[in-house]
Amino acid sequence: MTDDFYDELAPLYHLIYPDWNESIGLQGGKLSRLIEAEWPGQGARRKVLDVSCGIGTQALGLAAQGHDVTASDLSPREIERARSEAGARGLDIAFAVCDMREAHTHHGGGFDIVMSCDNSMPHLQTDDDLLTAFRQMTACLRPGGGCVVSVRDYASEARGTNIVKHYGARVENGLRHVLFQVWDFDDDGRGAHYDLGFFFVTEDLATQAVHTRVMRSRYYAISTARLCEFMREAGLQDVRRIDDAFFQPVLVGTRAAS
């Protein structure tokens, strides 16, 4: 379900942001400053692996900051678009299709930073899958390297059904797109998993013709505290949550120096 969801979303993904290009720069800058603050003294250029890059929002931003970026995602169409976006910006990023649960198997080790941003981890539906992903990510790191994960703070989210999350309206190439999500939690709204419908209502401003698309996926509304437990179990040290450094809570951990 996840790769189908993002394959369909790939050409529209930038519309999630009011100004995607601006977001690329802002997120790249914030992540670069966070990395330097948490793991100082490694120099300005880090070897970074993004295991859930999507269409490249964070990977493009970090590459523009001067980092050596490798990036992968489960969705072939997102990787295709990310590769195109990097080329258009003159950025040299090694992209590949890869499940984050096989990150080390695919990419190997030696990275200064491994990251998964923008709530990608909760696509994994079980504790075993999450722990597998964190173990693979840890194995990708050189000794002393850092793991960076950003996720929604599900502890602050209401549970229920028919929960609507508005993204607003975007106008592009004569089309107006209205974006919103609808969440339905399991067990009469009290469960830890929820189904999501992402709606794009598109109006042709010249003809007023309207077309609606919906992409569907499923998330594990796992707490940041539980994710930190998995990071520690995977072998990361100094694991903690950082607020106000990014647009979502950030979880960081460090692979032991020896």
Side-chain angles (χ1 to χ4, degrees):
M1 181 184 290
T2 300
D3 51 346
D4 289 345
F5 174 78
Y6 283 108
D7 277 349
E8 291 183 56
L9 186 59
L12 302 169
Y13 198 110
H14 64 286
L15 296 172
I16 292 173
Y17 303 95
D19 185 330
W20 185 52
N21 285 313
E22 181 181 50
S23 293
I24 289 170
L26 289 172
Q27 292 189 36
K30 288 183 177 182
L31 286 170
S32 194
R33 289 190 292 273
L34 183 147
I35 289 166
E36 177 59 31
E38 292 298 312
W39 299 280
Q42 297 180 17
R45 183 176 174 86
R46 313 295 177 94
K47 187 178 179 183
V48 177
L49 172 62
D50 184 345
V51 300
S52 57
C53 68
I55 63 170
T57 307
Q58 296 83 33
L60 295 168
L62 285 170
Q65 291 282 324
H67 299 287
D68 178 6
V69 180
T70 299
S72 57
D73 196 274
L74 192 64
S75 164
R77 289 186 183 175
E78 289 204 320
I79 289 298
E80 181 181 358
R81 179 165 181 195
R83 190 176 285 124
S84 175
E85 296 287 353
R89 292 165 172 78
L91 298 172
D92 184 14
I93 302 173
F95 287 105
V97 176
C98 175
D99 188 319
M100 69 173 72
R101 292 168 295 184
E102 299 175 352
H104 180 257
T105 304
H106 184 93
H107 295 290
F111 290 91
D112 297 313
I113 301 294
V114 62
M115 68 179 194
S116 173
C117 290
D118 204 1
N119 208 49
S120 295
M121 300 298 295
H123 276 299
L124 300 177
Q125 298 296 298
T126 69
D127 291 351
D128 286 344
D129 279 344
L130 284 162
L131 183 55
T132 295
F134 278 124
R135 283 175 170 156
Q136 287 278 306
M137 292 166 71
T138 301
C140 289
L141 290 168
R142 66 163 180 78
C147 179
V148 178
V149 174
S150 86
V151 289
R152 283 184 180 269
D153 184 5
Y154 282 112
S156 67
E157 296 281 0
R159 299 294 197 269
T161 57
N162 300 316
I163 299 171
V164 179
K165 301 285 186 177
H166 292 283
Y167 282 74
R170 317 279 188 248
V171 177
E172 181 181 81
N173 299 324
L175 301 176
R176 177 163 53 201
H177 306 273
V178 179
L179 289 65
F180 61 94
Q181 294 182 358
V182 180
W183 296 7
D184 292 307
F185 280 83
D186 291 348
D187 300 327
D188 297 324
R190 297 186 298 274
H193 294 79
Y194 66 97
D195 293 312
L196 173 151
F198 203 156
F199 289 78
F200 287 75
V201 181
T202 300
E203 177 189 10
D204 187 315
L205 293 175
T207 67
Q208 297 186 322
V210 174
H211 175 64
T212 300
R213 285 163 286 191
V214 58
M215 297 82 169
R216 302 189 186 278
S217 191
R218 185 168 173 82
Y219 282 82
Y220 181 3
I222 188 168
S223 70
T224 57
R226 186 70 172 137
L227 287 172
C228 285
E229 290 177 13
F230 291 140
M231 292 173 73
R232 295 185 186 98
E233 190 172 346
L236 294 167
Q237 300 179 344
D238 302 320
V239 175
R240 67 190 190 284
R241 169 175 163 169
I242 301 172
D243 292 318
D244 303 322
F246 199 54
F247 74 97
Q248 291 173 335
V250 176
L251 313 180
V252 298
T254 302
R255 182 170 179 174
S258 60

